[in-house]
Amino acid sequence: ETGVTQTPRHLVMGMTNKKSLKCEQHLGHNAMYWYKQSAKKPLELMFVYSLEERVENNSVPSRFSPECPNSSHLFLHLHTLQPEDSALYLCASSQEWRGGGTGELFFGEGSRLTVL
Amino acid sequence: GENVEQHPSTLSVQEGDSAVIKCTYSDSASNYFPWYKQELGKRPQLIIDIRSNVGEKKDQRIAVTLNKTAKHFSLHITETQPEDSAVYFCAAPWGGGSYIPTFGRGTSLIVHP
């Protein structure tokens, strides 16, 4: 397996459920990202993990909780979501500049989330 | 974070015509400006980028120009082909010299054969 892989590709959940999205990168990169893609905001940054540092968009609701156990894996834990959270969630990785990289983002194919 | 404005939101051209997409940014410390292409149902992929030490960069039919004084940069596609039809996103650093991209709202380019 190469590149950035995301699971599940599709997820339907009720508003009271708890679920998690998983992302794994096989590129040896040192930064991983969660972006939300919807018709309203096409590519909205949610969270970034790089070199043990976490950066987040302050407008992300607390019902989204990221976890980065190591440089290759990234999770997005979901609980008590709202229907407006339905979107495509894209994971990406990069080798950022402090690590001698170009900063180019490599995206996964996304997890399509539907909240009923 | 950085504020990136992208125009137009939709661009329709005839095959063989040129297409230009423009973006503006707010943080004068920003120094890296990538462009990503997202075909229908696929993931975004980098097509070209430019750093602030140059004013123009070309790669075959695509080019990017940067005006740091005016804080805007543009994507130029010449001799457009139907396979150029996609959504194009510009990006600028999240904050100043940060490496984290924040994206424009995207431009849907339609190339009519």
Side-chain angles (χ1 to χ4, degrees), chain B residues 2-83:
Chain B
E2 176 70 273
N3 184 34
V4 180
E5 298 287 336
Q6 182 172 348
H7 299 280
S9 57
T10 305
L11 180 58
S12 183
V13 301
Q14 288 296 127
E15 182 177 0
D17 288 350
S18 295
V20 181
I21 303 169
K22 298 181 180 179
C23 286
T24 60
Y25 59 97
S26 57
D27 192 332
S28 58
S30 293
N31 55 11
Y32 173 64
F33 307 94
W35 285 90
Y36 287 78
K37 175 184 180 182
Q38 186 175 26
E39 297 178 7
L40 188 63
K42 296 190 177 179
R43 69 191 84 187
Q45 291 187 294
L46 180 75
I47 55 170
I48 195 168
D49 57 16
I50 191 168
R51 298 191 185 275
S52 58
N53 57 347
V54 296
E56 184 176 6
K57 183 177 178 180
K58 287 184 179 179
D59 183 4
Q60 299 183 347
R61 295 187 297 107
I62 60 172
V64 56
T65 57
L66 172 65
N67 184 327
K68 285 211 71 180
T69 303
K71 290 190 280 189
H72 67 70
F73 56 110
S74 299
L75 177 71
H76 305 255
I77 306 174
T78 58
E79 301 172 30
T80 53
Q81 300 168 5
E83 52 264 39

Side-chain angles (χ1 to χ4, degrees), chain A:
Chain A
E1 190 79 59
T2 58
V4 181
T5 56
Q6 290 186 241
T7 55
R9 294 291 311 280
H10 300 273
L11 177 63
V12 179
M13 59 187 290
M15 293 168 61
T16 58
N17 291 162
K18 287 186 178 182
K19 297 286 184 183
S20 296
L21 306 180
K22 178 183 176 182
C23 178
E24 185 173 0
Q25 60 100 356
H26 307 270
L27 299 169
H29 288 163
N30 60 7
M32 296 188 76
Y33 311 71
W34 281 116
Y35 282 89
K36 177 183 178 183
Q37 187 166 47
S38 63
K40 190 176 180 182
K41 291 186 178 181
L43 271 175
E44 183 182 8
L45 178 69
M46 299 179 73
F47 301 102
V48 182
Y49 279 86
S50 174
L51 299 174
E52 311 307 321
E53 172 189 355
R54 172 175 153 178
V55 176
E56 60 188 90
N57 181 341
N58 291 331
S59 66
V60 177
S62 59
R63 55 187 183 269
F64 294 93
S65 175
E67 179 189 1
C68 189
N70 55 60
S71 61
S72 299
H73 294 86
L74 184 65
F75 295 88
L76 187 62
H77 303 299
L78 318 168
H79 63 97
T80 59
L81 294 191
Q82 304 297 312
E84 60 264 30
D85 297 321
S86 298
L88 182 69
Y89 289 85
L90 286 164
C91 174
S93 71
S94 75
Q95 185 68 10
E96 54 99 344
W97 301 338
R98 291 174 294 178
T102 64
E104 176 182 353
L105 290 183
F106 290 82
F107 286 89
E109 296 198 72
S111 293
R112 173 71 63 185
L113 173 66
T114 303
V115 182
L116 302 176

